[in-house]
Amino acid sequence: MTAKGRVFANPTWKVASPVVSVLIPFLGDDPSVLLKLLDEEAGAVDGSVEIVVLDDGTRDPELTKRLTAVIKAMTLPARLITLPRNEGRSIGRNRLATAARGGSLLFLDSDMRPDYRRFLRDWADLVAREDPPVAFGGISLLQAPVEPRFAVHRAMATKSECVAYTVRARQPEKYVYTSNLLVRRDVFAAESFDPGFSGWGWEDVEWAMRVSGRFRVLHVDNPATHMGLDTVAALAGKYEQSAPNFARVVDRHPAIVSTYPSYRAARLLKRLPGIDQLRPLLRRAAETEWLPVPTRAFSLRLYRAALYAGAIA
């Protein structure tokens, strides 16, 4: 394996002339189920779609072996890139774009599941019909696990992420996530993801802020389920990682971010005496299982705002 990673392609890869490249990064997950679901649509897209999967440094030979077998058996042209070390969310997606051959790039997270069996065909049809610069298909929780430990995340995602395309279109740059995002190749060449972001969060929203100033961002109704709901503890950990990224976005796009409720809440909390003592109390309330889910979700949102208050100037 070289520093650039090991590459495996299935038999149909060499002869394909794809229009859309589906780009799936992962770290520690197993995207086999997603790959098999996508491959069920191979006949419907008639060679117009390819799959590129990036293992961003999981370093699990058994997982690599399983994925290689899955990709080898796929009808869709597919390629697996296995990196020797983690490069991060932005760099990994930029690398995927370089490896793709289609004129449009569909970024799809490994824990997503298409909600309808016309998912790839609808994306390919949209490209053939309109060739949009950027299009976001939407996120749902239709197939996500319904377990008490994920109730807070479900409540928060339902309110802030699982938004109808007609509502998303009113603030097109705000509701853009790499979980189900189509980008035309020339647009991505003009505006790639900022490698200065590290850890979790905000690199896709910041990218959309830059892109929306130059290109049309279309919102469509072609959702996929986010299967990876988190516990409160895991979600709080991600928010902790995201605070420096949030500050980076504020520094680069103050006019846009100033309209966001998360920013306004952070500014208010920053003026509050004792904010450092308040943060752990908010997290504890969010993790308290006997409290009502809406109360816990509100506490977790305040915890995130309190983290962001400490990160912004």
Side-chain angles (χ1 to χ4, degrees):
M1 183 184 291
T2 68
K4 294 183 178 180
R6 179 180 293 137
V7 179
F8 171 80
N10 67 2
T12 57
W13 177 268
K14 290 183 180 180
V15 298
S17 299
V19 175
V20 177
S21 297
V22 182
L23 309 181
I24 306 173
F26 74 93
L27 176 62
D29 299 322
D30 185 347
S32 296
V33 174
L34 174 59
L35 293 176
K36 292 174 182 177
L37 289 172
L38 295 175
D39 202 45
E40 290 177 2
E41 292 195 58
V45 297
D46 192 26
S48 63
V49 176
E50 70 176 5
I51 311 289
V52 187
V53 185
L54 176 74
D55 180 347
D56 195 10
T58 301
R59 304 182 69 163
D60 182 345
E62 288 302 314
L63 176 58
T64 302
K65 183 178 179 180
R66 290 197 305 274
L67 280 176
T68 299
V70 169
I71 288 173
K72 185 177 181 179
M74 290 175 65
T75 302
L76 287 170
R79 168 185 273 187
L80 170 65
I81 303 170
T82 306
L83 300 183
R85 62 186 62 85
N86 177 251
E87 292 188 340
R89 292 160 61 92
S90 292
I91 296 175
R93 290 188 173 95
N94 290 342
R95 183 189 281 273
L96 276 166
T98 301
R101 300 175 297 180
S104 290
L105 314 173
L106 177 60
F107 292 93
L108 190 63
D109 283 353
S110 61
D111 59 357
M112 303 298 284
R113 301 289 183 269
D115 282 345
Y116 307 104
R117 292 300 177 258
R118 287 180 51 92
F119 180 75
L120 290 182
R121 183 173 177 178
D122 283 353
W123 276 124
D125 286 349
L126 177 66
V127 170
R129 186 174 64 250
E130 299 184 37
D131 196 21
V134 180
F136 181 65
I139 299 173
S140 86
L141 297 176
L142 186 64
Q143 306 169 68
V146 182
E147 299 178 30
R149 63 195 178 115
F150 300 135
V152 173
H153 193 181
R154 175 178 281 276
M156 295 177 70
T158 298
K159 182 176 181 179
S160 62
E161 297 175 13
C162 303
V163 180
Y165 75 99
T166 51
V167 176
R168 287 186 263 122
R170 298 171 193 164
Q171 288 181 285
E173 89 292 334
K174 181 177 181 179
Y175 297 101
V176 171
Y177 312 105
T178 49
S179 48
N180 186 14
L181 175 66
L182 184 83
V183 187
R184 203 170 62 207
R185 178 176 290 279
D186 64 298
V187 175
F188 197 79
E191 296 285 358
S192 59
F193 291 105
D194 179 0
F197 284 88
S198 61
W200 182 88
W202 289 98
E203 77 284 345
D204 44 7
V205 177
E206 190 278 332
W207 175 86
M209 291 175 182
R210 280 185 280 124
V211 167
S212 64
R214 302 177 60 185
F215 303 96
R216 180 191 179 202
V217 178
L218 179 67
H219 284 272
V220 299
D221 188 23
N222 191 15
T225 292
H226 177 215
M227 300 293 292
L229 291 177
D230 287 314
T231 63
V232 169
L235 202 55
K238 289 181 175 179
Y239 291 156
E240 290 158 9
Q241 290 182 42
S242 75
N245 287 349
F246 179 76
R248 188 177 181 87
V249 177
V250 171
D251 183 61
R252 292 187 166 203
H253 308 278
I256 297 177
V257 182
S258 64
T259 67
Y260 288 9
S262 55
Y263 176 79
R264 293 198 295 266
R267 295 299 304 175
L268 287 172
L269 288 173
K270 192 170 184 65
R271 304 191 197 106
L272 192 68
I275 185 66
D276 292 339
Q277 291 73 38
L278 179 62
R279 285 192 198 100
L281 298 178
L282 291 170
R283 175 166 177 165
R284 194 175 308 155
E287 292 179 324
T288 302
E289 295 182 0
W290 57 263
L291 286 174
V293 168
T295 302
R296 297 174 66 195
F298 180 69
S299 298
L300 191 56
R301 283 194 292 270
L302 279 181
Y303 177 67
R304 178 179 59 193
L307 290 169
Y308 291 174
I312 60 178

